Amino acid sequence: MKSFRLVHVGMVAALVSAALTSLGLVQAATAGGGGTVSSFVPIVPCRLLDTRADTTVGAQNTPLVGGETIKLAVWGTNGSCTIPSAATAVVGNVTAVGATRSSYLALFPADAAQPTTSNLNPAPGQPPIPNQVTTGLSADGAMDLFNFAGNVDVIIDLVGYYMPAGASGSGPQGPAGLQGVAGPKGDTGIPGTPAVNPARIVWVGTNGTHPAAAGGSVAIFASVREALASIKDNSATSPYVIKIAPGIYTETASLTMKPYVDLEGSGEDTTTLKCNCNDIDFYVGAVHVGANTPMQIRSLTVSIVSTSGAVGIEIESAATSPVSLVHVSVSASSSGSGYYAAVTGINVSSNAWANLDSVTTVGTGGLTPSGLYVNNHAEVMAVNLSATASGSGTPGYGVYLFEGNASIEGSRLQGSTYSVELEASSKIRLSNTRLNGPINGPGASCFNTFTILYGFYNTNCTNP
């Protein structure tokens, strides 16, 4: 059946093309009985209607029943055909399939009376046989299809249409001509709307350029250090953001941040600031936020590997304005030993005030490793914090407070020795937090705080 669909269309197309391309102008009949001088336009055969249930061509996919008349729009795109609105008639072939009774089919303009003649006479058991049809169109570009008796599927394929003489559409576009001589320069246009100006946003990327290689001015810097050096007018009323594209950016010395200059990566898993630093001071860090430096670090990872002391981020003397870390991962690791090999992921000291939100910090190896170290009257407020001390360094604390205070909620703390170590009148408030290891020292209060096995601490944080 499917091969028949292609064969009869091609056969009729060839016959119609041979017969009709020899035509000049013809008189095309209209519904009113008159006529207009029209010319035939052959087209690549297309299917206007197929009522069989396994198709979706045309306006109906169920058989015509006895006495049924359906209206078929022809102008525009219908089925797989596109016919211009100037067409006055169409030429094609009609095929009847699966007739249940002897019947006849009639095609006629949709605004004309049904004729008493037929275009096709299907009968039960008859193989599909196409018949050529030329049908005028109604004033709105449609034709009617009538079935006399029984049920029958109908296929209509078009091979061309008639248009009023002189009303044919444009032919195919010809090849482009040679380019002409350039005309004189026109007047200067009206100034456009200013483009969006990303004021005080400085970009860093692995494809960035070092300032010296670009004559002192670049659009994208190759390092955070160079981006920081380019900022001269930062203030509370002129804040900046350094945005860092995905990649690993390696430094060999500490980066000192500037007030009112935020540092924003492209994600903890995609942007890493790596410090291959040795002999770094414990109160400096791979990233150093100095006295009175309100700013935020977000969406990146800071990593330091050292043979001596190792501090990932050091926050110092923030005074009245907090320093915020949001979606930041910090890793500090040392292979050294002795007094100068102290290790901590984040060190908050000297009256500093830090807010940590969704931060992961790990201290590994060295001397007294800790995930978070709060000291010298500093204060930390943390939510969703993961603080871990691991490796051979001992003792190891998830959170280590020495003359410091902290409030930690919804977090996980783990130390190789203690989850929390409190010294020198430090205080900590823990809520909804899991501890993998005990708390050592007075000054802790616990609310819904539990062990890895979900044994709950009482309010003064004594072991469950």
Side-chain angles (χ1 to χ4, degrees), residues 204-447:
V204 174
T206 54
N207 63 334
T209 307
H210 298 286
S217 177
V218 294
I220 301 177
F221 289 93
S223 73
V224 175
R225 189 179 306 278
E226 292 165 340
L228 282 166
S230 73
I231 298 172
K232 310 293 185 182
D233 61 341
N234 50 298
S235 67
T237 58
S238 182
Y240 278 77
V241 176
I242 296 177
K243 292 195 173 186
I244 313 171
I248 298 175
Y249 302 84
T250 302
E251 299 283 349
T252 56
S254 174
L255 286 172
T256 299
M257 300 306 299
K258 292 184 174 182
Y260 306 105
V261 179
D262 288 354
L263 201 59
E264 180 180 321
S266 300
E268 296 168 71
D269 297 330
T270 58
T271 300
T272 298
L273 303 182
K274 184 177 181 180
C275 187
N276 291 335
C277 308
N278 290 317
D279 299 323
I280 194 166
D281 189 279
F282 190 74
Y283 291 100
V284 175
V287 175
H288 176 68
V289 183
N292 296 307
T293 307
M295 53 89 65
Q296 187 179 94
I297 300 174
R298 54 188 177 266
S299 302
L300 52 77
T301 288
V302 174
S303 172
I304 178 172
V305 178
S306 173
T307 58
S308 57
V311 177
I313 298 177
E314 200 276 334
I315 302 171
E316 176 186 20
S317 301
T320 58
S321 299
V323 173
S324 296
L325 307 184
V326 181
H327 289 289
V328 172
S329 293
V330 185
S331 172
S333 176
S334 173
S335 59
S337 60
Y339 180 78
Y340 293 102
V343 174
T344 187
I346 300 173
N347 179 18
V348 185
S349 67
S350 303
N351 298 296
W353 170 18
N355 292 333
L356 313 182
D357 185 352
S358 302
V359 170
T360 298
T361 176
V362 180
T364 304
L367 175 67
T368 317
S370 60
L372 172 64
Y373 182 38
V374 185
N375 63 97
N376 199 7
H377 309 291
E379 180 180 357
V380 168
M381 307 286 286
V383 177
N384 193 22
L385 168 70
S386 175
T388 304
S390 64
S392 59
T394 56
Y397 312 126
V399 175
Y400 183 14
L401 292 96
F402 188 92
E403 293 184 337
N405 300 306
S407 175
I408 298 176
E409 181 176 357
S411 300
R412 293 185 176 188
L413 313 180
Q414 176 176 343
S416 55
T417 307
Y418 297 114
S419 290
V420 178
E421 169 74 9
L422 297 102
E423 299 179 12
S425 302
S426 298
K427 295 186 182 299
I428 189 169
R429 183 187 190 277
L430 301 170
S431 61
N432 301 310
T433 293
R434 194 189 81 176
L435 306 180
N436 188 1
I439 299 172
N440 186 51
S445 57
C446 292
F447 303 90

Side-chain angles (χ1 to χ4, degrees), residues 63-70 96 99-108 114-123 145-154:
L64 273 72
V65 300
E68 180 179 5
T69 300
I70 62 172
T100 60
R101 291 182 60 185
S102 296
S103 180
Y104 70 85
L105 302 178
L107 275 169
F108 52 95
Q114 180 182 322
T116 57
T117 58
S118 67
N119 298 109
L120 195 63
N121 299 93
L145 170 62
F146 169 75
N147 174 39
F148 175 69
N151 296 345
V152 63
D153 281 308
V154 180

Side-chain angles (χ1 to χ4, degrees), residues 1-12 45 47 50-57 93 95 97 128 130 155 157:
M1 185 67 71
K2 294 187 179 295
S3 62
F4 151 73
R5 298 183 188 180
L6 299 177
V7 171
H8 81 259
V9 173
M11 176 182 68
V12 174
R47 183 148 293 178
D50 188 340
T51 66
R52 289 175 294 180
D54 61 346
T55 70
T56 56
V57 180
N93 60 294
T95 305
V97 181
I155 303 168
D157 297 311

